[in-house]
Short mmCIF file of all heavy atoms in Angstrom, two decimals:
data_model
loop_
_atom_site.label_atom_id
_atom_site.label_comp_id
_atom_site.label_asym_id
_atom_site.label_seq_id
_atom_site.Cartn_x
_atom_site.Cartn_y
_atom_site.Cartn_z
N SER A 1294 182.07 59.23 43.63
CA SER A 1294 181.73 57.81 43.79
C SER A 1294 182.89 56.94 43.31
O SER A 1294 183.66 57.34 42.43
CB SER A 1294 180.47 57.47 43.00
OG SER A 1294 180.73 57.56 41.60
N ALA A 1295 182.98 55.75 43.88
CA ALA A 1295 184.06 54.83 43.50
C ALA A 1295 183.98 54.44 42.04
O ALA A 1295 184.99 54.39 41.32
CB ALA A 1295 184.02 53.60 44.39
N THR A 1296 182.76 54.16 41.53
CA THR A 1296 182.62 53.75 40.14
C THR A 1296 182.95 54.88 39.16
O THR A 1296 183.29 54.63 38.02
CB THR A 1296 181.19 53.25 39.84
OG1 THR A 1296 180.24 54.25 40.21
CG2 THR A 1296 180.90 51.97 40.61
N GLY A 1297 182.86 56.09 39.63
CA GLY A 1297 183.20 57.24 38.77
C GLY A 1297 184.69 57.52 38.73
O GLY A 1297 185.13 58.45 38.04
N HIS A 1298 185.48 56.72 39.46
CA HIS A 1298 186.92 56.99 39.55
C HIS A 1298 187.73 55.71 39.38
O HIS A 1298 188.76 55.51 40.05
CB HIS A 1298 187.24 57.67 40.88
CG HIS A 1298 186.63 59.04 41.00
ND1 HIS A 1298 185.30 59.22 41.29
CD2 HIS A 1298 187.16 60.27 40.83
CE1 HIS A 1298 185.04 60.52 41.30
NE2 HIS A 1298 186.15 61.17 41.02
N ILE A 1299 187.28 54.84 38.48
CA ILE A 1299 188.01 53.60 38.19
C ILE A 1299 189.38 53.92 37.57
O ILE A 1299 190.40 53.32 37.93
CB ILE A 1299 187.21 52.69 37.25
CG1 ILE A 1299 185.86 52.29 37.90
CG2 ILE A 1299 188.03 51.46 36.88
CD1 ILE A 1299 186.00 51.48 39.17
N ILE A 1300 189.42 54.89 36.65
CA ILE A 1300 190.67 55.27 35.99
C ILE A 1300 191.69 55.75 37.02
O ILE A 1300 192.86 55.35 37.00
CB ILE A 1300 190.43 56.34 34.91
CG1 ILE A 1300 189.61 55.77 33.76
CG2 ILE A 1300 191.75 56.92 34.41
CD1 ILE A 1300 189.18 56.80 32.73
N GLU A 1301 191.23 56.61 37.93
CA GLU A 1301 192.15 57.14 38.96
C GLU A 1301 192.67 56.02 39.87
O GLU A 1301 193.83 56.03 40.28
CB GLU A 1301 191.44 58.20 39.80
CG GLU A 1301 191.19 59.51 39.09
CD GLU A 1301 189.91 59.53 38.25
OE1 GLU A 1301 189.29 58.46 38.09
OE2 GLU A 1301 189.55 60.60 37.76
N GLN A 1302 191.81 55.05 40.15
CA GLN A 1302 192.23 53.94 41.02
C GLN A 1302 193.27 53.07 40.31
O GLN A 1302 194.25 52.63 40.93
CB GLN A 1302 191.01 53.12 41.44
CG GLN A 1302 190.09 53.91 42.37
CD GLN A 1302 188.85 53.13 42.77
OE1 GLN A 1302 188.92 52.24 43.61
NE2 GLN A 1302 187.70 53.48 42.20
N ILE A 1303 193.08 52.84 39.02
CA ILE A 1303 194.06 52.07 38.24
C ILE A 1303 195.41 52.81 38.23
O ILE A 1303 196.47 52.20 38.35
CB ILE A 1303 193.54 51.82 36.82
CG1 ILE A 1303 192.37 50.82 36.86
CG2 ILE A 1303 194.65 51.31 35.90
CD1 ILE A 1303 191.68 50.61 35.53
N GLU A 1304 195.34 54.13 38.11
CA GLU A 1304 196.58 54.93 38.10
C GLU A 1304 197.32 54.82 39.43
O GLU A 1304 198.55 54.71 39.47
CB GLU A 1304 196.25 56.40 37.81
CG GLU A 1304 195.82 56.66 36.37
CD GLU A 1304 195.34 58.08 36.15
OE1 GLU A 1304 195.13 58.81 37.16
OE2 GLU A 1304 195.16 58.47 34.98
N VAL A 1305 196.58 54.84 40.55
CA VAL A 1305 197.21 54.70 41.86
C VAL A 1305 197.86 53.33 42.01
O VAL A 1305 198.99 53.19 42.51
CB VAL A 1305 196.19 54.94 43.01
CG1 VAL A 1305 196.81 54.58 44.36
CG2 VAL A 1305 195.73 56.39 43.03
N ILE A 1306 197.15 52.29 41.55
CA ILE A 1306 197.72 50.93 41.60
C ILE A 1306 199.03 50.87 40.83
O ILE A 1306 200.02 50.28 41.29
CB ILE A 1306 196.71 49.91 41.04
CG1 ILE A 1306 195.47 49.83 41.92
CG2 ILE A 1306 197.37 48.52 40.95
CD1 ILE A 1306 194.34 49.02 41.32
N GLN A 1307 199.06 51.47 39.65
CA GLN A 1307 200.27 51.44 38.83
C GLN A 1307 201.43 52.14 39.54
O GLN A 1307 202.58 51.67 39.49
CB GLN A 1307 200.00 52.09 37.47
CG GLN A 1307 201.13 51.85 36.46
CD GLN A 1307 201.37 50.37 36.22
OE1 GLN A 1307 200.48 49.65 35.80
NE2 GLN A 1307 202.61 49.90 36.48
N LYS A 1308 201.14 53.23 40.23
CA LYS A 1308 202.19 53.93 40.98
C LYS A 1308 202.75 53.05 42.09
O LYS A 1308 203.96 53.04 42.35
CB LYS A 1308 201.63 55.23 41.57
CG LYS A 1308 201.36 56.32 40.55
CD LYS A 1308 200.77 57.56 41.22
CE LYS A 1308 200.47 58.64 40.20
NZ LYS A 1308 199.85 59.84 40.85
N LEU A 1392 191.19 51.12 48.28
CA LEU A 1392 191.86 51.93 47.27
C LEU A 1392 191.09 53.19 46.89
O LEU A 1392 191.68 54.24 46.64
CB LEU A 1392 192.08 51.08 46.01
CG LEU A 1392 192.88 51.75 44.89
CD1 LEU A 1392 194.33 51.94 45.30
CD2 LEU A 1392 192.78 50.93 43.61
N GLU A 1393 189.76 53.08 46.85
CA GLU A 1393 188.96 54.19 46.34
C GLU A 1393 189.19 55.49 47.10
O GLU A 1393 189.29 56.57 46.52
CB GLU A 1393 187.47 53.84 46.39
CG GLU A 1393 186.95 53.62 47.79
CD GLU A 1393 185.47 53.28 47.83
OE1 GLU A 1393 185.12 52.10 47.67
OE2 GLU A 1393 184.68 54.21 48.01
N THR A 1395 191.85 56.46 48.81
CA THR A 1395 193.16 57.03 48.48
C THR A 1395 193.10 57.77 47.15
O THR A 1395 193.61 58.89 47.02
CB THR A 1395 194.23 55.92 48.43
OG1 THR A 1395 194.33 55.31 49.72
CG2 THR A 1395 195.58 56.48 48.03
N ALA A 1396 192.46 57.15 46.16
CA ALA A 1396 192.38 57.76 44.83
C ALA A 1396 191.57 59.05 44.85
O ALA A 1396 191.98 60.07 44.28
CB ALA A 1396 191.79 56.77 43.84
N MET A 1397 190.42 59.02 45.49
CA MET A 1397 189.53 60.18 45.45
C MET A 1397 189.99 61.31 46.36
O MET A 1397 189.88 62.48 46.02
CB MET A 1397 188.10 59.75 45.78
CG MET A 1397 187.48 58.89 44.69
SD MET A 1397 185.72 58.51 44.96
CE MET A 1397 185.84 57.25 46.21
N THR A 1399 193.12 62.09 47.25
CA THR A 1399 194.27 62.78 46.68
C THR A 1399 193.92 63.50 45.38
O THR A 1399 194.54 64.52 45.05
CB THR A 1399 195.43 61.80 46.45
OG1 THR A 1399 194.98 60.70 45.65
CG2 THR A 1399 195.96 61.25 47.77
N LYS A 1400 192.93 62.99 44.65
CA LYS A 1400 192.51 63.69 43.42
C LYS A 1400 191.95 65.07 43.74
O LYS A 1400 192.25 66.05 43.05
CB LYS A 1400 191.45 62.86 42.68
CG LYS A 1400 190.90 63.56 41.42
CD LYS A 1400 189.86 62.70 40.72
CE LYS A 1400 189.21 63.45 39.56
NZ LYS A 1400 190.16 63.72 38.46
N TYR A 1401 191.11 65.15 44.78
CA TYR A 1401 190.41 66.41 45.05
C TYR A 1401 191.07 67.28 46.13
O TYR A 1401 190.76 68.47 46.23
CB TYR A 1401 188.96 66.12 45.43
CG TYR A 1401 188.19 65.51 44.29
CD1 TYR A 1401 187.81 64.17 44.32
CD2 TYR A 1401 187.88 66.25 43.16
CE1 TYR A 1401 187.13 63.59 43.26
CE2 TYR A 1401 187.20 65.69 42.09
CZ TYR A 1401 186.83 64.36 42.14
OH TYR A 1401 186.16 63.80 41.07
#
Side-chain angles (χ1 to χ4, degrees):
S1294 68
T1296 55
H1298 294 77
I1299 299 297
I1300 293 173
E1301 288 85 352
Q1302 292 178 76
I1303 290 173
E1304 289 173 349
V1305 171
I1306 295 171
Q1307 191 59 59
K1308 288 178 182 178
L1392 185 69
E1393 63 180 85
T1395 298
M1397 291 186 284
T1399 54
K1400 176 180 174 67
Y1401 295 109

